[in-house]
Amino acid sequence: MMKEDDLCEKIGFLEGIGISRYGIERVFHLFPEVLGFDVENRLKPLLDEFLELGFSENMIRDEIIKDSRVLSMELGEMSRCLGLLKTLKCRAPIKDKIFSEGEFRAGFEVKLRVDCLCKQGLIHREAFKILWKEPRLILYEVEEIEKKIDFLVNTMNYKVGCLVEVPEYLGANFDKQILPRYNVVEYLRSQGALEFDVGLKSLIKPSRLRFYNLYVKPYPECEKMFGRFAEGAAIQGRHPVGMWKLFKPQKYAESKEAVNNTKSFMEPLV
């Protein structure tokens, strides 16, 4: 249904930024939605925004070829994503990994996570707030985030809005933290051992040891489902086994002469 002139206009736009014929075919194949975008009102203003942010035309071209979904960004969206990245407060290794492929790619990864969260029912402001509180999400695959949210809503029966208050849920390891803790709490609830409701915050935020002491240690049958402290698993102490022996005073064999010397020393005191 598209007119030939409209198609040629889009091809001309991509050729104008240095994308080869093969690259154009790749763009259309990976992101066919671009064929519905207006060149004058959407694509050219988007390119101008990227240039104004300091990205070179060569970098923009390479990023479009690498992932054509870059062209799906709304005007002003990259600026907002980069603004979030500049205000992140996280450990240096995490920030270095976020920017490992460059500032442009980091901004686009933020956009993908925001779209993922909004698709689940959050608004943009909430999505940006979650990413700011839990920057590790920028490094996680979108499929992994979707898996956690699906489990949260459909299995744990929480509303997706609770992620705004407990974004740590999305940063927790699903198999090692979320699932074992949920299984323990559900078992205790089914046995009538819980006299109070365990919210998402109480489920996720306590340290592993604190959660163990609260919900697992009093109920030995929960140790296996919790995992770490299951039967046969050793808890590594602060010092190696036998370290206490190094601090124990050394014993010497008591000779008859040493005993007599001790007696002779103590008799005048008595």
Side-chain angles (χ1 to χ4, degrees):
M1 298 297 293
M2 181 177 292
K3 295 180 180 180
E4 183 179 352
D5 292 343
D6 293 337
L7 181 59
C8 291
E9 185 181 19
K10 293 172 178 60
I11 294 175
F13 168 78
L14 296 174
E15 287 180 335
I17 58 178
I19 299 180
S20 64
R21 284 282 179 170
Y22 171 77
I24 293 174
E25 291 179 2
R26 175 180 169 82
V27 169
F28 289 164
H29 173 71
L30 296 179
F31 187 60
E33 291 87 343
V34 71
L35 292 171
F37 294 164
D38 187 84
V39 173
E40 295 296 329
N41 298 323
R42 177 70 180 270
L43 296 179
K44 285 186 177 180
L46 183 63
L47 176 62
D48 292 338
E49 180 186 350
F50 292 159
L51 294 172
E52 290 175 2
L53 290 172
F55 300 114
S56 67
E57 193 168 290
N58 290 337
M59 176 185 291
I60 298 170
R61 180 189 65 240
D62 293 341
E63 291 293 340
I64 292 175
I65 295 175
K66 183 178 181 180
D67 193 334
S68 307
R69 292 177 298 172
V70 167
L71 296 173
S72 69
M73 299 191 79
E74 299 287 345
L75 295 178
E77 193 171 13
M78 177 62 86
S79 301
R80 189 175 182 185
C81 292
L82 294 179
L84 171 74
L85 292 171
K86 292 178 181 177
T87 61
L88 287 182
K89 296 180 181 179
C90 57
R91 293 184 290 116
I94 295 177
K95 183 171 287 189
D96 291 342
K97 197 168 182 179
I98 291 174
F99 287 98
S100 61
E101 296 187 39
E103 191 175 4
F104 190 101
R105 172 55 51 172
F108 180 61
E109 293 295 337
V110 170
K111 178 259 193 311
L112 293 179
R113 274 63 182 179
V114 169
D115 287 350
C116 171
L117 294 173
C118 291
K119 184 180 177 181
Q120 300 297 327
L122 297 169
I123 62 176
H124 276 78
R125 178 176 56 81
E126 293 172 334
F128 275 97
K129 185 177 181 180
I130 290 173
L131 288 175
W132 186 82
K133 286 185 175 181
E134 190 56 63
R136 291 178 296 176
L137 287 183
I138 303 173
L139 302 174
Y140 294 167
E141 295 294 332
V142 172
E143 292 76 13
E144 183 178 353
I145 299 174
E146 292 175 341
K147 175 184 176 181
K148 291 178 180 178
I149 296 179
D150 179 72
F151 186 80
L152 176 75
V153 175
N154 298 320
T155 303
M156 300 176 70
N157 295 320
Y158 288 103
K159 293 183 179 180
V160 70
C162 67
L163 292 174
V164 179
E165 299 300 327
V166 193
E168 293 86 355
Y169 170 83
L170 293 175
N173 186 288
F174 182 80
D175 295 320
K176 295 181 179 179
Q177 185 172 351
I178 296 175
L179 190 58
R181 294 189 182 196
Y182 171 75
N183 289 337
V184 168
V185 170
E186 283 300 300
Y187 173 79
L188 295 178
R189 184 180 289 118
S190 67
Q191 298 298 314
L194 293 178
E195 298 179 355
F196 55 89
D197 184 35
V198 179
L200 186 62
K201 184 176 181 180
S202 300
L203 187 71
I204 297 299
K205 285 196 173 184
S207 66
R208 197 170 184 82
L209 182 58
R210 178 170 174 77
F211 186 90
Y212 171 79
N213 289 332
L214 288 174
Y215 303 106
V216 182
K217 190 174 182 180
Y219 309 96
E221 65 271 22
C222 293
E223 291 191 358
K224 189 172 183 179
M225 67 180 72
F226 187 62
R228 181 183 176 188
F229 299 108
E231 185 178 358
I235 304 175
Q236 184 176 1
R238 182 174 297 182
H239 302 293
V241 177
M243 180 67 76
W244 60 273
K245 294 181 179 179
L246 299 177
F247 303 99
K248 188 176 181 179
Q250 186 175 1
K251 285 186 176 182
Y252 296 93
E254 294 184 353
S255 62
K256 187 175 181 180
E257 182 180 359
V259 172
N260 292 332
N261 289 337
T262 303
K263 287 183 177 180
S264 62
F265 175 76
M266 295 297 297
E267 286 177 355
L269 298 180
V270 177

